[in-house]
Amino acid sequence: MNEPTTSLLTRRIAITRMAAAATAATLPLLAAPVQAHTDKPHVPKTGPVRKEQKDWGIAGDARSVKRSIEVGMADNMRFTPARIAVRQGEAVKFVVRNTGKVMHEFVIGTKAENARHAEMMVKFPDMEHDEPYMAHVPPGKTGEIVWTFNRAGEFEFACLIAGHYQGGMVGTIMVAPAGKA
């Protein structure tokens, strides 16, 4: 073997070893779950629920609830069911169960509002927020939201923890106009 060929082969071997070492060092990082929000629960709600009209409705009153809807959240980044139908004016209690091993959220909103919020969560994953249309549910736990859908339309529920929304953890709420089913 001549000198230039040996030198080139030596460099290729060195580059291959460096690439293998870099890959081995980063694989554990890629396998780790996203820790946005951490797994500690948010500070418990205190005082009265703030009732603020949103495009998708307003915080409901537990005494006016006629129907409860159970929603499952799992680490496969899916909700069950993924589609919910309600009527305008209906107050619904969502019982949200996290069957996974990481924190999940159930956030009601418009598609545009949830997309904006999800972008913020990617930039600021430890951002704390607590609104009546959100439930932050630790692994193996259950959360609840009481919401009145006083506007007809198509809305969405989503997990806005960094990476979850982008992974498809989104569902649809269809609110039929009053008087229609």
Side-chain angles (χ1 to χ4, degrees):
M1 233 180 231
N2 64 24
E3 184 68 37
T5 306
T6 304
S7 178
L8 180 62
L9 181 59
T10 303
R11 277 189 270 159
R12 284 187 179 165
I13 291 171
I15 290 170
T16 302
R17 285 182 180 156
M18 285 190 305
T23 301
T26 57
L27 278 177
L29 297 174
L30 295 174
V34 174
Q35 289 299 315
H37 275 308
T38 67
D39 282 337
K40 67 179 184 206
H42 281 54
V43 177
K45 297 176 184 178
T46 58
V49 173
R50 192 176 75 209
K51 292 192 174 195
E52 179 184 350
Q53 180 64 54
K54 296 291 186 181
D55 290 343
W56 54 94
I58 193 165
D61 183 344
R63 293 176 300 219
S64 62
V65 169
K66 302 271 190 281
R67 177 165 68 132
S68 289
I69 299 173
E70 288 201 24
V71 179
M73 302 184 287
D75 293 345
N76 64 354
M77 302 301 147
R78 296 294 179 261
F79 288 102
T80 306
R83 190 169 178 80
I84 296 169
V86 299
R87 288 179 305 282
Q88 184 178 6
E90 187 175 9
V92 175
K93 177 171 139 182
F94 291 98
V95 179
V96 190
R97 188 171 321 280
N98 182 350
T99 61
K101 294 187 182 346
V102 299
M103 176 75 88
H104 288 296
E105 297 181 319
F106 181 85
V107 181
I108 304 170
T110 63
K111 184 174 181 139
E113 181 66 27
N114 278 350
R116 271 193 301 277
H117 192 149
E119 281 182 38
M120 291 295 292
M121 291 300 297
V122 169
K123 292 177 185 171
F124 307 103
D126 294 323
M127 176 173 61
E128 293 258 346
H129 49 244
D130 191 25
E131 299 290 343
Y133 52 88
M134 299 177 173
H136 313 285
V137 187
K141 301 292 183 189
T142 300
E144 293 182 356
I145 294 177
V146 176
W147 195 254
T148 299
F149 293 94
N150 59 7
R151 296 187 176 177
E154 182 174 325
F155 304 104
E156 141 178 311
F157 55 95
C159 180
L160 304 183
I161 291 175
H164 295 206
Y165 182 80
Q166 295 79 357
M169 200 163 182
V170 179
T172 304
I173 299 173
M174 293 300 301
V175 182
K180 294 187 179 183

